[in-house]
Amino acid sequence: MFKTIAAISTPRGKGGIAVIRISGGETRSIIEQCFRPRRGAEALLPRRAVYGTVVDGEGKPVDDGILTLFPAPHSYTGEDVAEISCHGGIYVTHAVLSAVFAAGAEPAGPGDFTRRAYVNGKLTLSRAEAVGKLLDARTESQAKLAAAGTRGVLSKKIDTIRGELLTLLSSVYAAIDYPDEDMTDVPMDEIARRLNSLHGQVSALAATYKTGRAVSEGIRTVICGTPNAGKSSVYNMLSASDRAIVTDVAGTTRDVLEDCISLGGVTLLLWDTAGIRETEDTVERIGVERARAKLAEAELALAVFDTSRPETEEDREFCRIASHLPAAIALLNKNDREKGISDAFEAEIRAAFPHVLEISAKNNEGREAIEACIHEMYFAEEIDLTADPIVSEARQHASLIRAAESLKAASDAIGATEGTDIVGFLAEKALADLEMTDGRAVSDEIVNEIFHHFCVGK
Ligand code: GDP
């Protein structure tokens, strides 16, 4: 049996109230020692808020608070759980925790409560991961996606697919075990058709990772262009902050800035760059080299062109480099001024980039267009972060891709009239990968890795 653990579950520091959580088989005896209900021990009914006093190892009062008992299995962890809400002072909170330790609880490690919920079957691994993501969410879209995950939207979808595959497998087994008798209620071509349909469902689910990752992890984005093209102004317009300093002196954005913003529901990890060009200035060169490296790593380029002056060789270089990234948007900046670039170069940009927008960063014109463009790039039609099953973890995506491949191979094996046992083997492999996606069958290392990122008290 697990030890009984306790931790402060609210953030560190001073607050109106703090919550100390206790979980494990000894919970009841621990609270009997360290909590004196104002109305006597019989007041301690399940899921009932009870007012009382927390006392230390010597029976001296530490603080007054509210205790709620959640007996197993109807609790977050599936074990007996007690939560004590006490005054949120820094000293008081720790004194209450110490009283709980003195009564026999052990300190909880990062994510221990959620890990127990997972071990006791209260949460699937995907839902536990979603809990972690909900706590980490910095943008509205991230929070929506994680909340859907904690409700098990993705887990339920995987469960349905798994159920269908299990039914199908039993038909395949029947055909393997009784090859001569007509035990198969389902003909092989029907099995092939259903395997194909499952392959379609699993592939479609895997494809949602494009959106899931864009929201959850973010897209490495570089704003690039020649000095004075308006990169800092674009950065400021998008991040609505003044972190990048806008100046008239060419080449003054020396640092590769990093920022995380939400645009059109997509999380952009932004780097501002100093412009790719050869330079004699050492400080400037560091910036330029880092910018070049960042461009090589980037997934999305926002290439800024100053349309108010004739293009230079450098502008052409940017046009060539940026348009080769997996995703790129050309921003024809300073459209409030008279046009200086040649029609030929503008045509070249329009031919090289899949998306071209005319903007005036200085006047804050074009933000909505950029937002809509980015949304369209990463959100498949009608995807709903709150209601649709969406994959947002690389681990889940990889195992879904493997499951899809096995399903395809299994249905192809029927077409190629391979042995039924090969079909069974491939379908079982697909089942194992599906179970891996949902964390029914993952290694301890993966489980440890996932919970390691949680905070103590969660
Ligand atoms: P960077 O060197 O590429 O980062 O360029 P900045 O953002 O620092 O802008 C260089 C200069 O161009 C500044 O004086 C900006 O005010 C100006 N600028 C930027 N965007 C626009 C625009 O849309 N219209 C006009 N007229 N000027 C702009």
Side-chain angles (χ1 to χ4, degrees), residues 226-234 245-249 251 253 272 333-337 359-363:
T226 48
N228 272 339
K231 300 179 296 298
S232 308
S233 308
V234 166
I245 299 154
V246 181
T247 70
D248 277 327
V249 186
T253 311
D272 194 355
N333 191 31
K334 310 197 187 181
N335 77 348
D336 54 297
R337 290 176 64 175
I359 64 161
S360 171
K362 188 179 166 183
N363 299 310

